[in-house]
Amino acid sequence: MNQEDKFKSVISHAKEYGFVFQSSEIYDGLSAVYDYGQLGAELKNNIKKYWWKSMVQMHENIVGIDTAIFMHPTIWKASGHVDAFNDPLIDNKDSKKRYRADVLVEDHIAKIEGKIAKEIKKAAKRFGESFDAEMFAQTNPRVAGYKEKIESIEARMKRCLDEGDLEDFKQLIIDEEIVDPVGGSRNWTDVRQFNLMFSTEMGSIAEGANTIYLRPETAQGIFVNYLNVQKTGRMKLPFGIAQIGKAFRNEIVARQFIFRMREFEQMEMQFFVKPGTEMEWYEHWKAKRLEWHLGLGIAETEYRFHDHLKMAHYANAAADIEFNFPFGFKELEGIHSRTDFDLKQHEKHSGKKLQYFDPETNEHYVPYVVETSIGLDRMFLATLCSALQTETLEDGSERMVLRLPKVLAPYQVAILPLVKKDGLPDKARAIIDSLKMEYMCQYDEKDAIGRRYRRQDAIGTPYAITVDHQTLEDQMVTIRERDTMTQERIPIDQLSEYLYKGLRA
Ligand code: ATP
């Protein structure tokens, strides 16, 4: 299956099994807005729990908060979002399609990277076993030419973005002969800046309503509460504040399913540190966050770091953890060294001191901040994409299996009476009653047992318990594992412990 088909199958699987629906579907949908269905809500909650546990519960010096979506409008002036939270947009006059100019250039660079990979593959075939890919990439003149080209495009784009030179940005697109991915035309408009914040009004007009914004990131709720938390929680540097919540961005181009949405959720952690130690912490959190991803058992080759070219207005160092989505390596999480930019800006605009008193040095200072920021929906998509697999079994038949990390599966266990009679359903429900406080259980009695197993495979349920006639006599059940499909016979009173161990393996 090629990558495009793979992505289509992920999207249709997500719909068919109740993970993700288009928002307002009966009204033909609302662009880049999605709803999570009965299984999607469970998977999403499990990702949240997994993140919260590892960031908050496992760290003595990190606490979690939950701040409002509406905030004082001056916050967004102070943070720089009113003036600088822009994306460069460009339209194609023939296709009438709108694009993010930087994404067009990045996709163009990815094509050149693809050419490098092709050269390496060709050479590997030619030279056989003795081939040293790294050496080849360093010395081959054609590869060197491609690399130089990439570097010069990146440098030019960075200059355009840093200096707001939108004229040269358009010229870069023309010089590189970048075409409209849909129509193939090079008939481009000028590049313009577009602010991504949604605004609305609070209060009635009679009261003199105020324009306020839907937060484009959850981080500012943390910054403006940092002293509240520090004081009431008696926190000492370095310490972190975590938050999970909705964010809103009026994205120029919203495509690729839940990868880029206009309403989405972020899981962010701001780590407050002593000035001068931020690079150490930046490296620390880069490593820690990659470890978190790998801890889910998804292959290391699916992840890579990408250092930012276009640094956000607040950062002095920034890297993305990219995931190998079916449409290529794309940002899943950002790790940013935000300096003292936000806190200093809030001091300036609010007129309140946001300094930390360091009891060790007897100094007052504004802490520096290292942030980790991951999109919950993107994590959901990464998890689904890597989990969905079609397998050919020994007997030649196919099964669709969602190999979700067990801790994230919507249902942990399915309980299946072999037949709908002879007291087996009652026995199955009694087992559910004994497990449901601890585990999400699903009862299913319809169709032959093989088909029921397939249904559970398709939604990623790690274990299926079958209750048969023998169970009524010996109080034993058959438990089947999703990935290996192996079956074991175990006593009912050992189920809870068995599941506890298995789900943490
Ligand atoms: P991109 O370059 O893809 O627009 P970004 O660099 O603007 O992303 P950040 O501001 O660093 O993103 O936001 C942190 C995280 O929030 C991202 O790594 C991503 O996972 C998530 N995120 C950002 N925008 C969206 C969106 N429109 N839809 C879903 N998730 C998003």
Side-chain angles (χ1 to χ4, degrees), residues 100-263:
R100 253 174 73 175
D102 55 333
V103 172
L104 279 182
V105 175
E106 269 160 20
D107 288 348
H108 177 65
I109 289 172
K111 275 192 196 143
I112 305 175
E113 279 170 347
K115 285 184 188 165
I116 295 178
K118 234 187 213 162
E119 289 290 338
I120 294 175
K121 209 169 157 194
K122 254 192 344 207
K125 239 189 201 163
R126 213 171 338 123
F127 292 115
E129 271 189 9
S130 60
F131 182 64
D132 180 342
E134 214 165 284
M135 178 73 92
F136 178 81
Q138 276 167 17
T139 52
N140 178 273
R142 204 170 296 161
V143 171
Y146 287 139
K147 281 190 176 165
E148 233 169 73
K149 177 123 194 111
I150 291 174
E151 276 166 25
S152 90
I153 296 172
E154 284 181 340
R156 188 165 164 196
M157 179 158 82
K158 179 170 177 353
R159 192 199 66 78
C160 292
L161 291 168
D162 287 349
E163 295 172 18
D165 187 349
L166 300 182
E167 226 168 90
D168 194 46
F169 207 142
K170 177 180 181 185
Q171 198 55 46
L172 170 65
I173 288 171
I174 291 168
D175 292 348
E176 287 303 317
E177 302 182 346
I178 295 176
V179 299
D180 179 346
V182 176
S185 142
R186 288 187 211 157
N187 195 5
W188 297 109
T189 62
D190 289 341
V191 176
R192 282 167 296 148
Q193 289 287 20
F194 176 79
N195 193 287
L196 299 181
M197 279 198 296
F198 281 100
S199 62
T200 184
E201 277 173 7
M202 184 173 256
S204 70
I205 303 290
E207 284 173 24
N210 256 332
T211 298
I212 55 166
Y213 301 98
L214 300 190
R215 66 180 179 198
E217 61 174 27
T218 60
Q220 297 304 324
I222 294 178
F223 290 129
V224 298
N225 278 295
Y226 124 84
L227 261 195
N228 282 339
V229 174
Q230 191 268 320
K231 290 200 166 136
T232 56
R234 294 175 290 116
M235 310 296 289
K236 283 210 180 90
L237 286 190
F239 72 92
I241 305 179
Q243 158 152 256
I244 299 176
K246 289 261 183 178
F248 303 83
R249 296 183 188 180
N250 199 0
E251 297 283 358
I252 295 170
V253 182
R255 54 188 163 130
Q256 290 158 334
F257 193 40
I258 55 173
F259 179 80
R260 189 173 298 288
M261 301 154 91
R262 295 202 164 104
E263 172 180 342

Side-chain angles (χ1 to χ4, degrees), residues 304-354:
R304 72 177 189 196
F305 277 113
H306 171 77
D307 291 321
H308 268 214
L309 262 185
K310 177 195 165 192
M311 208 84 78
H313 55 273
Y314 49 73
N316 71 352
D320 295 338
I321 294 177
E322 293 188 335
F323 180 78
N324 189 13
F325 289 98
F327 40 87
F329 273 98
K330 297 272 178 224
E331 172 174 350
L332 170 60
E333 169 157 10
I335 293 104
H336 310 127
S337 172
R338 293 182 79 130
T339 70
D340 56 0
F341 174 86
D342 300 88
L343 293 180
K344 281 244 168 91
Q345 283 293 102
H346 289 309
E347 275 199 329
K348 197 166 117 199
H349 284 78
S350 68
K352 308 271 174 9
K353 282 227 172 312
L354 295 178

